[in-house]
Structure formats: structure tokens, C-alpha cells
Amino acid sequence: FHGFQDVVVRGNAAGFVKDYRGFDQERARIVTRKNTFLVIPRLFLECLFMLTFVGVVWSMVMMQQSSEQIVAVLGSYLYIGFRLMPGINRAINYVSQIKTVMPNIDRVYDQFVMLKEPSPYQDIPDFSFEKSIQFEGVHFYYGEDAIDVIKGVSFEIKKGESIGIIGKTGSGKSTVIDLMLGLIDPTGGKITIDSCHPVSCQQWHRRIGLVPQSVYLFNGSIKDNITFSNPGKKLDIDYLEHLIDCCELKTLIVRLPEGLDTVVGESGVFLSGGERQRIAIARALFLKPDVLIFDEATSSLDTQTEQA
């Protein structure tokens, strides 16, 4: 979820979902075994004890035992009943808890059975990016009652240009990027490539290298985070080493015992902010994109490294 932009733009959501499902199923199996082994001994002993008691009473009746003996056994049964009361109370509490959470369960169930909406992404085999990206009278707001974040914005970015978007915090800079990526749809106006192709297509995403404002690194090696888990594609080691040099990562890689295979931790907790940003830049460049989008991508770097 934290790497939503990267996952969608790189088009490898299925691989991450597959990995997550595997971990989730293994966790479910472990929890199931644990809870089962905690409960089974108690239930087994209680059932065995009750069956034994019923068998004893039945045999006493069949053997025509005296009433005193039967009363003594029934007294034992009464004692057993008192012993079972805590368990019965727990069962009643569980039923009460189930009734309490039923509204939540219904809501979750409604989400599971909800019909999947058609994917907004289009497949355009003849897609081309030769001229420019156009914003024409674009409006956007979050939520029905919210004010416009983007109001009637129109501009053109020509292929080969390098531009900067400047504005105060909350002025909509990151929203412009999400609109340009096709991750959100404008509430007014249109965004096109070469005046004809929509931005909500897979072919457009394959041409983009994105370094988001909040860098996401998963709990894998530096190499996997740069290549972003593309096991089906042949890895160009020479180009990867070239990226490491270009992104000022060589000093970091050399001093790590495991080099490129060093695990960075969830969200890159074992690295500094600047190191995380440089890995994200290398990731964006790895696919040799036609378009590079940097969303405050050098905010954690010193001036010299930023210029390099």
C-alpha cells in the first residue's frame, strides 16, 4: 500500500499480491494450529470425563444399584456442573461478542461480494510519445464537498524539456503528478499525450520513471529494490553498476558486507533518508524511461550530492 504509485506505474501489482498472499496463508496456518492445540486438550478431557460419567450412571441403573449410590453419583454430577459453569459462561460471552461485531462482519462481507469495477486503464498498442503532454482546463477535487485543488490548469510539456513545478505546501503539486500518471481522473478538463492518447494506459506507464515524495522500499535487498522485483526480466548487471555510480551509491555498496544483496528492512529502516532517495532514483532510471518525474526527490540530499 505504501508503494502504490511505484507498483501501479511499474505494472507488477500481480507479483506483489502473490507474495503477500503466500505470507498471509502461512500466517493463517500457524495461527490455526496454535489455537487448535490450545483448545483441543481441554475439550478432549471434558468430553472424556462426561462420557465416563454417563457410562457409570447407565451401568449403575442397569445393575439395579441402590438409590444411595445413585444419589452419590448425582451429587458428583452436580459438582461437575459447578465446575463446568465457567466454560458455559465463556460460551455465553463469545455469543455476545459475536452479536456485537456482526455489523462489522456484515460491512466486511459487503466489501468482499462487491462487484469489481472495470479497470480504468486502457490498452493502446499503437501508443506513441513524440511531441508533448497537454493539460487542458483541468480541474480536480478530493471528495464531493471539497474545494478544487486544481482549478482550470492548462499547460504543455514538450518532449525533451525539463521543467519544475513550484508552489506552497498543499497547492497541488503532487496532485498534478498523480493526474499526469493517470492514477486519478480529473473532475474537469482533459490530459492527453500527443493530443490523442489518454494517460490512463499501461503503455504510458511503461515510459515513466517515478521518484515519489515518500520513497517506499520493501524488506528486500538493495538490488531487488532497484530492479523492483522483476524476476521475469533479464538483469543487465553492467547497466545496474552504471546506475550505482550515477546515483552516488557506490560508496554505500562498497562498505556493506553483503553489497547489493544487503537487506534494507521494511521501508528502508536500515538506511538514511538520502540513501533511500538515491536507491529510488536508481529504480526510476533502471527501466530507461522516456519521462522522469521527481516529486521533491532530492530533499534529503546535501547540495553536492544533489548536483551530482
Side-chain angles (χ1 to χ4, degrees):
F1 293 114
H2 293 292
F4 173 80
Q5 284 181 317
D6 293 298
V7 171
V8 173
V9 171
R10 297 292 285 267
N12 55 358
F16 282 96
V17 171
K18 181 181 178 181
D19 290 342
Y20 175 82
R21 184 176 289 117
F23 286 116
D24 191 51
Q25 289 175 344
E26 180 61 24
R27 175 184 174 277
R29 284 193 293 269
I30 292 172
V31 171
T32 300
R33 286 197 294 266
K34 171 193 169 187
N35 291 338
T36 300
F37 290 133
L38 285 175
V39 171
I40 280 181
R42 178 176 60 83
L43 294 177
F44 176 76
L45 291 175
E46 288 180 357
C47 292
L48 179 63
F49 193 80
M50 289 298 297
L51 289 173
T52 302
F53 170 77
V54 172
V56 170
V57 173
W58 179 79
S59 62
M60 291 178 69
V61 172
M62 295 299 294
M63 295 172 62
Q64 298 181 349
Q65 295 288 337
S66 64
S67 58
E68 289 82 3
Q69 291 175 315
I70 296 177
V71 168
V73 173
L74 291 177
S76 301
Y77 179 72
L78 183 63
Y79 171 76
I80 293 170
F82 279 112
R83 296 288 296 176
L84 289 176
M85 282 304 294
I88 295 173
N89 288 332
R90 283 198 300 270
I92 294 173
N93 289 334
Y94 292 150
V95 172
S96 176
Q97 290 177 19
I98 290 173
K99 290 183 177 180
T100 301
V101 301
M102 277 306 295
N104 298 330
I105 294 173
D106 290 338
R107 291 185 66 183
V108 173
Y109 176 77
D110 290 340
Q111 295 294 322
F112 273 108
V113 300
M114 184 183 296
L115 292 177
K116 183 180 178 181
E117 294 183 1
S119 173
Y121 298 106
Q122 303 177 39
D123 184 16
I124 306 176
D126 61 345
F127 181 91
S128 64
F129 175 45
E130 303 296 337
K131 299 177 182 178
S132 62
I133 306 166
Q134 296 95 16
F135 275 59
E136 301 178 34
V138 173
H139 290 259
F140 182 80
Y141 57 82
Y142 293 98
E144 294 297 329
D145 300 325
I147 60 174
D148 284 356
V149 178
I150 305 295
K151 302 178 181 179
V153 171
S154 298
F155 62 85
E156 181 179 22
I157 306 174
K158 294 181 180 180
K159 186 174 183 179
E161 283 188 327
S162 177
I163 72 159
I165 301 176
I166 303 170
K168 296 180 181 179
T169 300
S171 60
K173 301 185 298 295
S174 295
T175 300
V176 168
I177 291 175
D178 287 340
L179 287 165
M180 190 181 301
L181 291 171
L183 298 180
I184 53 178
D185 296 324
T187 51
K190 65 179 181 177
I191 308 167
T192 56
I193 308 299
D194 289 351
S195 301
C196 57
H197 301 306
V199 291
S200 57
C201 67
Q202 299 172 358
Q203 288 79 3
W204 173 235
H205 282 171
R206 295 190 190 119
R207 296 171 179 264
I208 293 174
L210 170 68
V211 186
Q213 190 175 42
S214 178
V215 173
Y216 171 70
L217 302 182
F218 58 87
N219 188 23
S221 67
I222 293 176
K223 180 173 67 176
D224 287 341
N225 271 282
I226 293 176
T227 61
F228 211 60
S229 292
N230 281 301
K233 297 182 179 180
K234 186 177 179 180
L235 184 60
D236 187 343
I237 298 296
D238 292 336
Y239 182 63
L240 181 60
E241 291 178 352
H242 173 64
L243 283 182
I244 290 170
D245 287 334
C246 290
C247 297
E248 302 287 316
L249 285 169
K250 192 167 185 178
T251 304
L252 169 67
I253 302 299
V254 169
R255 67 180 173 83
L256 293 173
E258 298 183 29
L260 276 172
D261 294 321
T262 302
V263 175
V264 302
E266 186 63 31
S267 299
V269 293
F270 300 146
L271 303 175
S272 69
E275 290 166 344
R276 289 196 292 266
Q277 284 193 329
R278 279 176 276 164
I279 290 175
I281 293 170
R283 174 193 293 172
L285 294 169
F286 179 73
L287 294 180
K288 303 177 182 178
D290 291 339
V291 180
L292 280 173
I293 298 178
F294 282 21
D295 190 358
E296 299 186 22
T298 56
S299 59
S300 297
L301 303 181
D302 59 83
T303 304
Q304 184 178 355
T305 303
E306 182 177 18
Q307 288 175 350

